[in-house]
Amino acid sequence: MALSNSIFLKDGTAQGVAKQRLIETLAEPDKRVIIDTHAERFVIGASFVKLMGHKLNVWLAQKIAPGFHEHIISRTRFIDELIKTSSTDGAEQYVILGAGYDLRAHRLNLPSSLRIFEVDQPEVQNRKRSKLPKELLNSTNVTYVTVDFTHQSLTKQLVDAGFNRRKSTIFTLEGVSQYITKEAISSTIQEIASLTQAASSTFFISYVDESLEKNPEACFGKGYPKAAKRAKLITNLSAKAGEPWISFYSAEEIESLLSQNGYSVKENVTLENLNSHYFAPVGRALPENEIFKLEHFVVAQSHFGSKPIE
Ligand SMILES: C[S@@+](CC[C@H](N)C(=O)[O-])C[C@H]1O[C@@H](n2cnc3c(N)ncnc32)[C@H](O)[C@@H]1O
């Protein structure tokens, strides 16, 4: 379906992720891995999702793509922990690239001194701002910055919005790299590197493994049912929401892209690594044949600046 025919205004995938956070929020408090009480504001049909409840929604998600829900939730939790640690350890600015309906700026109890920049396309950001409660919108430490990574300069927009090149910063690009060209990712990382020459910075990027196209079985856990068919279904669903997955990477490619720009990879994990940390303690560990590991979560640290964040 072409974007113009879609019911979503560039926000189909942002809604999709918010829906998974809503589903997780519906779990019993001692069973959930993250909580996002505002997610429902951004999900079409939220009342129906709430009526179905956590268990039924997760069961349904398992039927479509085992592990998909847990993969999104593990990504959210992984970044939540990264941001909490980085802000405690001295990060002064946090730039959320492709923020969508991410409520991390308000969900986590972050220090009020942390300056947060939310970056996204104007259509998505306007919708987000129209749905947020007034008291959250007025938070003085959050600044909204509109950028289209494919044809606008992140540097100009961020600096105009008050980004300070001398402050230690953490950037996250969560669930975005698959939707934009490799050229746009490369120029965004170059801009981030040049913006942070005078201070330390940490960069998080998630990316879809290139084996999704080349060898789908390798993208899932051993025994994952109908891997090739599921890989196709997942990419088709995204295209239907108006935002097809167009860019896939190998670990070497990401590592080289980051190192060319002065970053070294500190961590590269998937749901396979996080399952035992997040889901086992609440009695929801996935068996190997339900592990959905096609997306990688990477943390890289810059070589610049005199004050390391950690
Ligand atoms: C799957 S959503 C992820 C949203 C958010 N990071 C999260 O995890 O909840 C992808 C986000 O990337 C944004 N995006 C896609 N293409 C973009 C572009 N060319 N420039 C800026 N943002 C873009 C979308 O608007 C959307 O908010």
Side-chain angles (χ1 to χ4, degrees), residues 13 17 21 75 98-100 120-121 124 147-149 174-176 180:
T13 58
V17 185
R21 288 195 294 262
R75 186 176 80 192
D120 210 310
Q121 313 179 83
V124 180
V147 180
D148 185 325
F149 300 126
E174 174 187 10
V176 181
I180 59 181

Side-chain angles (χ1 to χ4, degrees), residues 98-300:
Y101 300 139
D102 174 354
L103 262 290
R104 199 166 275 122
H106 309 284
R107 278 192 304 111
L108 306 179
N109 195 13
L110 298 171
S112 56
S113 57
L114 183 72
R115 186 83 196 268
I116 300 174
F117 298 89
E118 290 211 3
V119 177
D120 210 310
Q121 313 179 83
E123 298 84 347
V124 180
Q125 205 158 73
N126 288 340
R127 181 161 186 265
K128 181 177 195 172
R129 297 182 71 172
S130 73
K131 301 259 173 201
L132 276 179
K134 286 214 168 33
E135 67 274 13
L136 290 190
L137 259 187
N138 292 336
S139 306
T140 47
N141 58 335
V142 182
T143 305
Y144 292 90
V145 185
T146 57
V147 180
D148 185 325
F149 300 126
T150 55
H151 62 80
Q152 275 186 309
S153 159
L154 176 66
T155 307
K156 178 169 174 5
Q157 300 294 90
L158 269 183
V159 171
D160 285 354
F163 179 88
N164 188 329
R165 293 170 182 262
R166 304 214 151 266
K167 292 195 165 170
S168 56
T169 305
I170 178 151
F171 295 83
T172 58
L173 189 68
E174 174 187 10
V176 181
S177 71
Q178 57 268 51
Y179 301 104
I180 59 181
T181 61
K182 291 195 173 183
E183 291 72 28
I185 284 291
S186 173
S187 66
T188 301
I189 297 177
Q190 273 172 36
E191 288 200 70
I192 289 170
S194 101
L195 267 168
T196 54
Q197 293 285 318
S200 77
S201 68
T202 300
F203 179 56
F204 169 93
I205 181 169
S206 61
Y207 71 89
V208 175
D209 199 297
E210 65 174 11
S211 60
L212 181 73
E213 289 192 309
K214 298 179 179 167
N215 176 16
E217 277 78 14
C219 268
F220 303 98
K222 198 161 173 246
Y224 191 94
K226 302 185 184 128
K229 211 174 131 195
R230 291 260 164 45
K232 234 200 153 50
L233 179 77
I234 290 156
T235 46
N236 284 348
L237 282 177
S238 227
K240 280 214 164 93
E243 294 158 76
W245 287 6
I246 57 169
S247 300
F248 309 94
Y249 297 86
S250 66
E252 296 71 35
E253 200 177 353
I254 284 288
E255 204 164 325
S256 134
L257 189 57
L258 289 166
S259 75
Q260 281 160 27
N261 289 289
Y263 283 93
S264 52
V265 172
K266 285 173 60 191
E267 250 185 303
N268 182 341
V269 296
T270 68
L271 174 61
E272 186 174 41
N273 312 98
L274 302 175
N275 185 29
S276 59
H277 294 292
Y278 301 158
F279 294 100
V282 293
R284 291 169 52 198
L286 293 178
E288 194 176 355
N289 66 357
E290 290 179 14
I291 298 275
F292 183 102
K293 57 174 178 179
L294 60 81
E295 195 176 31
H296 292 247
F297 315 143
V298 173
V299 181

Side-chain angles (χ1 to χ4, degrees), residues 1 12 16 20 23 42 59 62 72 75 81 92 94 98 111 122 135 157 160 187 193 205 209 222 240 262 280 283 305:
M1 189 191 293
Q20 299 310 316
I23 292 172
F42 306 101
W59 176 83
Q62 289 291 100
I72 297 278
R75 186 176 80 192
E81 290 186 357
E92 297 159 288
Y94 174 26
E135 67 274 13
Q157 300 294 90
D160 285 354
S187 66
I205 181 169
D209 199 297
K222 198 161 173 246
K240 280 214 164 93

